[in-house]
Amino acid sequence: MQSSLSLSLTIPRPNHAALARDSPFAKISHFTKPINLRFCGLRREALGFSSPLLTRRVHLHSSRATQLVSASLSNNGSAPKSFDYDLLIIGAGVGGHGAALHAVEKGLKTAIVEGDVVGGTCVNRGCVPSKALLAVSGRMRELQNEHHLKALGLQVSAAGYDRQGVADHANNLASKIRNNLTNSMKAIGVDILTGFGSVLGPQKVKVGSDKVVTAKNIIIATGSVPFVPKGIEVDGKTVITSDHALKLESVPDWIAIVGSGYIGLEFSDVYTALGSEVTFIEALDQLMPGFDPEIGKLAQRVLINPRKIDYHTGVFATKITPAKDGKPVIIELIDAKTKEPKDTLEVDAALIATGRAPFTQGLGLENINVATQRGFVPVDERMRVIDADGKLVPHLYCIGDANGKMMLAHAASAQGISVVEQVTGRDHVLNHLSIPAACFTHPEISMVGLTEPQAREKAEKEGFEVSIAKTSFKANTKALAENEGEGIAKLIYRPDNGEILGVHIFGLHAADLIHEASNAIALGTRIQDIKLAVHAHPTLSEVLDELFKSAKVKAHVSSPVSEPVAV
């Protein structure tokens, strides 16, 4: 019998996304548009097309398919006939770690290359130490809130903190998690190769200055670094990035935060709890531009307006000069639209929270004819790297911040697992619209799927109706018992078939609550089915229970997602 292979036919697709700069969706871009989308039970509508013409399948004999994917090997050297490893991962952050563990589970001989420290940005300079600082800020807010404590019948004397002790807590947590990740890989036989990794050619990687390693498949997982706009001079003391801020070497009396996305919001929570005054500088016309507008307005009312925070919107910080010779940090602002000078601020410190840039320089991509797009490595929906001629580079993948599809640590890990599934024989495409995101302020913000404006734009193009359901934390017994009734949950859905388009939560433990919604989207569960789920009482999870039960769905018969879609 003649073997055959089913491939996805692709056509060029421009990237029309222009989202907030440090939103996790800052670059959900597609360099190719899939025609055959048979995977994962994900909805095709997420890509914005539904023509039957685009669902036809193209069958190619395996010999022809080999010619197709091998085309990009020309003039790029030859692949080795035997390999040191089944899978080699460049970058030992959360994405690389997740891929390595899954690869060993699948029986692959695996190595991971790290030129800095295991854990990458998340563990050492991001998610992990920032949560340690936010844990402190949360406790401080509770102890400083006399009204809250009095309502619970508690009396506490004035709260204080030791700056070095707080900094040590963050550093110790990062060290502990870093060691845990390292030990977890060593325990299952993953080889950790120390040195900067770069691609020499097909299935070949140089580690450090002289070591050459071969692998059947290679994953690039090099992550990102803080993005600093032109005109801003970072000295690491008075003008800092999140990397410096997490060390908490000082708590300034007045700090300006450039950018009001996830990074800026979380640090405003930390600094104000520790006694600083904060000034936000935001280029767009409203604060928190990456959030659902309704959630953003409520969050501003709770997280910004009552605190020692002021803000300038619709302005660029064109020049920031560090403090020196007894002079403060000087920030020059211009109007974002007219580019006319707007104001000059003098503050004690400035935190640059304008998002992150991919760390892809020096990877040797030119050796395999790959050109980055604004620093990001171009990939298709299966994380396969695309070369400068628009062809797939065989056996080479890129995950996480380096590809820019969704700049979140858990998204990188999910992408890595998806790649391992593919190289071990199971086709898999990750639905990025099912990946949740969270901002760990007090209270927290979380979300999954589309915002209301995005959903309505999609509905207008595709001709369906959008409905909104909301519930309040004020109606939840557990939230009231904690005296934390501030918050809402919002459901965006299709009333005709019960499809969940998006869920947004602002309130106590919102980051923990979002996963019921994200799993429902991932599995294609409809509202009419999830309404029947049972939640323990009294728990915060009942906020989601009431949310789904309040939705008005016209179709009462459950119907699985009919066709899949990749994002």
Side-chain angles (χ1 to χ4, degrees), residues 25 154 186 243 298 333 395 463 496 504 507 563:
F25 298 90
L154 298 176
K186 287 181 177 178
D243 285 3
L298 176 59
L333 303 178
H395 308 290
D496 60 334
H504 303 262
E563 294 190 34

Side-chain angles (χ1 to χ4, degrees), residues 347-361:
V347 296
D348 298 312
L351 168 62
I352 312 307
T354 48
R356 301 188 64 83
F359 182 66
T360 53
Q361 290 184 343

Side-chain angles (χ1 to χ4, degrees), residues 310-423:
D310 66 350
Y311 51 87
H312 299 263
T313 56
V315 295
F316 287 127
T318 56
K319 186 176 181 180
I320 300 182
T321 306
K324 54 186 174 182
D325 300 329
K327 296 180 180 178
V329 174
I330 300 175
I331 304 174
E332 298 178 19
L333 303 178
I334 65 169
D335 188 279
K337 295 185 177 66
T338 66
K339 304 300 186 290
E340 294 293 324
K342 191 76 177 284
D343 203 350
T344 298
L345 302 179
E346 294 184 353
V347 296
D348 298 312
L351 168 62
I352 312 307
T354 48
R356 301 188 64 83
F359 182 66
T360 53
Q361 290 184 343
L363 283 178
L365 297 176
E366 66 279 1
N367 296 328
I368 47 172
N369 192 32
V370 172
T372 60
Q373 309 283 339
R374 295 187 296 119
F376 295 100
V377 177
V379 297
D380 70 355
E381 73 278 4
R382 289 172 174 81
M383 310 303 132
R384 297 176 295 191
V385 173
I386 300 169
D387 72 12
D389 299 322
K391 300 172 184 175
L392 296 177
V393 179
H395 308 290
L396 183 63
Y397 302 82
C398 181
I399 65 172
D401 288 7
N403 73 32
K405 277 184 172 287
M406 195 175 191
M407 299 179 79
L408 293 168
H410 50 280
S413 183
Q415 290 171 3
I417 291 170
S418 177
V419 168
V420 171
E421 286 291 296
Q422 295 169 53
V423 302

